Amino acid sequence: MATPHIGCEPGDIAELVLMPGDPRRAARIAETFLYDTRLVSEVRGNNIFTGTYQGTPMSVMASGMGVPTTSLYATELYRFYAVKRICRVGTTGGIASTVKVRDVIIANAAHTNSTVATIQVPGVTLSLAASFDMLRGAVDEARRDAPAEVTVHVGPVYSSDFFYLDRPDIVSGLAKIGTLGVEMESAGLFACAATEGGEALTVLTVSDHLFDGSGDMTAEERETSFGNALRIAAAGLLA
C-alpha cells in the first residue's frame, strides 16, 4: 500500500530506520553502512533503501528540512509501514560553550518554537523527548567505543522553525539553560513518535558553532563526516 509520499509495500521498509536530512546523505549511508541494500521507494526523489546492519534489517530515508516534512515522513513510516524506531542522524549548530565543531550530540529532548509542541493537547506545551531505551543504547555505545578524539555530549537541542531568524537573545537564553545545539527536525520526530506509539532518537554532528567562531564544516564534510554519529545512532536503533 503506497502512500502519497512513499511508493512501496508494507514489509519493504524495516522496523528500524535511520533518518538523515539530506537525500544524498541517505544514499551514502545505504552504500557505505548497510549491506545487501536495495532501493524500495523513489517518490519525489526521496529514495528509501533497505538493507541490513549487523544482520538486522534496517532502512534509511531522508527527512528533508524542518518539522513539517519530518513529521509527514515519520507519520507515514510509523502509521502505514509498521516502523518501530526512527533515529535522526544529522548536523547541528553548536550553542553551548562546551560543544565544538565535529563533536557528537545525543539529544535527550528538543525545545522548539514550533506549534508541534502545543497542537496535540490544547493549553499544554508538551515535553518532546527521546525514547529512553534508544537513548540508553546510544549513550552506552558512545561511552564504550567512541574514539579518543571524538567528544560526545548528551542533552537537549533546539528545533527551530526558522533558519534565518536574527534573534541572538533566543539563542543566548537557550545556552544559559544548557541547550547544546540548534537544528530543525527533532521536535517533529519526537512528537510523531509520541503520537503514533513509536520510538525516536536524534544523534547529531556539530557542523558549525553560533558563538565560538570556529570554522564551519564544508558541504562535502557534512555529507561524509558522520561515521561516529552513525554508529551511535545504529546502536540506539538496535538497543
Side-chain angles (χ1 to χ4, degrees):
M1 178 192 67
T3 69
H5 309 99
I6 298 174
C8 59
E9 297 298 317
D12 288 337
I13 300 175
E15 292 184 350
L16 309 179
V17 175
L18 291 162
M19 183 172 275
D22 183 356
R24 295 204 333 179
R25 192 173 299 147
R28 186 178 289 270
I29 291 171
E31 293 168 1
T32 63
F33 192 72
L34 301 182
Y35 293 90
D36 299 323
T37 307
R38 60 193 178 97
L39 176 67
V40 298
S41 176
E42 48 188 341
V43 176
R44 295 172 180 256
N46 191 10
N47 296 344
I48 305 175
F49 304 89
T50 296
T52 62
Y53 176 73
Q54 295 184 353
T56 299
M58 192 173 290
S59 295
V60 56
M61 176 189 193
S63 67
M65 294 184 68
V67 166
T69 56
T70 301
S71 300
L72 182 155
Y73 287 127
T75 296
E76 292 190 2
L77 290 172
Y78 287 129
R79 186 178 299 180
F80 301 112
Y81 289 94
V83 168
K84 303 299 184 186
R85 288 177 167 178
I86 300 174
C87 187
R88 163 163 158 69
V89 54
T91 56
T92 181
I95 292 178
S97 60
T98 54
V99 169
K100 305 300 180 187
V101 172
R102 295 179 179 80
D103 285 0
V104 172
I105 293 173
I106 304 173
N108 60 9
H111 309 308
T112 188
N113 57 1
S114 170
T115 57
V116 74
T118 58
I119 197 169
Q120 292 291 338
V121 184
V124 175
T125 300
L126 300 180
S127 298
L128 301 174
S131 302
F132 175 75
D133 286 339
M134 293 182 69
L135 178 66
R136 180 177 61 182
V139 172
D140 286 349
E141 173 69 15
R143 290 177 174 171
R144 179 173 55 246
D145 287 330
E149 68 274 12
V150 176
T151 301
V152 180
H153 309 264
V154 182
V157 296
Y158 174 54
S159 297
S160 177
D161 262 352
F162 304 94
F163 189 86
Y164 295 109
L165 181 64
D166 188 15
R167 288 291 302 275
D169 56 322
I170 293 177
V171 179
S172 62
L174 288 164
K176 288 179 181 178
I177 62 170
T179 309
L180 300 177
V182 57
E183 46 92 82
M184 300 184 71
E185 292 81 29
S186 295
L189 177 58
F190 293 169
C192 285
T195 301
E196 300 296 328
E199 296 184 75
L201 180 67
T202 288
V203 181
L204 303 165
T205 301
V206 180
S207 59
D208 58 281
H209 201 288
L210 276 64
F211 295 120
D212 72 5
S214 56
D216 298 354
M217 295 173 68
T218 65
E220 182 178 359
E221 287 176 319
R222 291 180 190 221
E223 186 180 336
T224 58
S225 299
F226 54 77
N228 292 304
L230 193 55
R231 175 179 50 78
I232 292 168
L237 288 173
L238 293 172

